[in-house]
Amino acid sequence: MPPISAIPQPLPSTGRLGAVRSHTEGGARTPSVWYGLLLAGGLGLAAWGLGTRFPLIGGPVFGILLGMAWRNLLGLSPLFTPGVVFGSRQVLKWSIIGLGFGLSLGQVVKTGASSLAVTLVTLSAAFLAAWLLGRWLKLGGHLSTLIGVGTAICGGSAIAAVAPIIRPDDHETALSISTIFLFNVAAVLLFPPLGHWMGLSDAGFGLWAGTAINDTSSVVAAGYSYGTAAGDIATIVKLTRATLIIPVCIAIAFWTAWRNQHSETRLPLAAIFPWFILWFLAASATRSLGLIPAALLEPLHLLSQFLIILALTAIGLSSDLRRMAVAGVRPLLLGLGVWTAVSLSSLGVQLLLGSL
């Protein structure tokens, strides 16, 4: 079976936005980027509402699911293609920049410095496991990277940040987010009883949950179900861990550029470098310096949340389930292996440091 990344792209090539033309009985019409954006935005609003009602699942996952349902049950006219492509790529970058306004890097790094050793070990374990298992399962390098970075750092947000750098097919992005989501739910259900069974302290469980569960909402749910102190520690550790997406994105950009030097398709580093991460840092610095009025912080946070839901909905609209089915259970096995490696390595480091 060929690697997933080798399967042809399902969407027609659009070239520059608006270049695709759809022909109807009344003549030719030129699609506008707004058609796809309005579709993704409408489904994104529904996903946001569902995520508010069911926070354990969350708006981004509902966005992926609604987009996939529309694409595979109703189809996607070429009229919507430019907007869907724009939403899944450009709006995705804007959403990551917007997240910077809600994160004070200095405070998080200072508060969570004690967790850095455990976090770095789990990060290394995730990438090593993703690489080894990805090769063994004969999965494409893009999917292995996305599942690895999603498990190692912060789930869908990390996948969204890395995707513009390595440029996977949209179905690979959707498949990796769906896989990560399944293990988020499993962690929320399994971690608290396992923590009690192992006799973990609040600090030990908080550090374990904060380093081994990737999505913030799942970390909060598992941490506070164990105890208030555990929830506080888990949240701080998780936020510290989320900041590592910056050096990871830069490292992946350099690695991608180096690999392209040895391939037929060469891309300069400037074309791959995640410039939007610099804007993310600028947004975070603006927040940290107190230059954003307090009254604007909540609206900016809500806007960034909606943009990421819209972008992931657009990715869902680009995803063909028939192509995803080709992968079978292999992505789930990869996700399980990486998640297990991260969970065990976190406990192992804490055991060695005597912090359980």
Side-chain angles (χ1 to χ4, degrees), residues 49-268:
L50 288 170
T52 302
R53 184 168 179 81
F54 304 100
L56 182 59
I57 299 176
V61 173
F62 276 120
I64 285 276
L65 294 176
L66 289 178
M68 290 172 61
W70 183 286
R71 167 64 188 267
N72 292 277
L73 295 178
L74 302 176
L76 188 71
S77 166
L79 193 68
F80 298 102
T81 300
V84 168
V85 172
F86 186 81
S88 64
R89 298 177 184 176
Q90 189 61 44
V91 175
L92 192 60
K93 297 178 183 179
W94 294 345
S95 68
I96 298 300
I97 294 170
L99 292 176
F101 290 110
L103 184 63
S104 175
L105 295 181
Q107 179 183 1
V108 172
V109 171
K110 179 181 178 180
T111 307
S114 60
S115 68
L116 195 57
V118 179
T119 301
L120 291 176
V121 170
T122 58
L123 188 77
S124 302
F127 281 116
L128 180 61
W131 180 69
L132 292 174
L133 288 172
R135 291 175 63 89
W136 179 60
L137 293 168
K138 294 182 172 58
L139 290 169
H142 287 161
L143 186 60
S144 299
T145 299
L146 292 175
I147 290 179
V149 77
T151 305
I153 302 177
C154 50
S157 297
I159 292 171
V162 170
I165 304 171
I166 64 175
R167 302 178 183 179
D169 289 345
D170 285 334
H171 82 279
E172 291 177 306
T173 305
L175 185 55
S176 62
I177 291 175
S178 301
T179 300
I180 293 295
F181 164 70
L182 290 177
F183 293 104
N184 269 335
V185 174
V188 172
L189 297 176
L190 294 176
F191 269 47
L194 284 175
H196 288 298
W197 178 70
M198 291 185 289
L200 299 182
S201 64
D202 282 343
F205 183 84
L207 185 53
W208 186 39
T211 52
I213 304 175
N214 50 69
D215 183 72
T216 302
S217 61
S218 299
V219 169
V220 171
Y224 284 104
S225 69
Y226 198 81
T228 301
D232 291 341
I233 294 170
T235 301
I236 293 171
V237 170
K238 174 64 184 68
L239 292 176
T240 303
R241 179 177 157 208
T243 63
L244 294 178
I245 192 58
I246 300 166
V248 165
C249 280
I250 294 173
I252 290 176
F254 277 97
W255 171 252
T256 303
W258 180 83
R259 290 191 64 184
N260 284 328
Q261 292 177 357
H262 303 276
S263 67
E264 296 181 0
T265 304
R266 296 189 177 185
L267 291 175

Side-chain angles (χ1 to χ4, degrees), residues 199-347:
L200 299 182
S201 64
D202 282 343
F205 183 84
L207 185 53
W208 186 39
T211 52
I213 304 175
N214 50 69
D215 183 72
T216 302
S217 61
S218 299
V219 169
V220 171
Y224 284 104
S225 69
Y226 198 81
T228 301
D232 291 341
I233 294 170
T235 301
I236 293 171
V237 170
K238 174 64 184 68
L239 292 176
T240 303
R241 179 177 157 208
T243 63
L244 294 178
I245 192 58
I246 300 166
V248 165
C249 280
I250 294 173
I252 290 176
F254 277 97
W255 171 252
T256 303
W258 180 83
R259 290 191 64 184
N260 284 328
Q261 292 177 357
H262 303 276
S263 67
E264 296 181 0
T265 304
R266 296 189 177 185
L267 291 175
L269 177 62
I272 303 171
F273 189 84
W275 300 106
F276 64 95
I277 291 293
L278 298 183
W279 286 108
F280 168 89
L281 286 172
S284 181
T286 303
R287 160 69 187 269
S288 301
L289 292 172
L291 300 178
I292 303 294
L296 291 180
L297 292 178
E298 183 62 20
L300 286 172
H301 176 67
L302 292 175
L303 177 61
S304 65
Q305 281 188 321
F306 177 69
L307 287 179
I308 200 166
I309 292 173
L310 187 154
L312 295 178
T313 302
I315 288 173
L317 286 166
S318 306
S319 304
D320 190 337
L321 286 179
R322 290 171 298 181
R323 299 178 66 217
M324 295 173 67
V326 173
V329 299
R330 292 180 297 160
L332 291 178
L333 292 175
L334 175 61
L336 176 62
V338 177
W339 182 54
T340 301
V342 169
S343 300
L344 293 180
S345 62
S346 176
L347 288 173

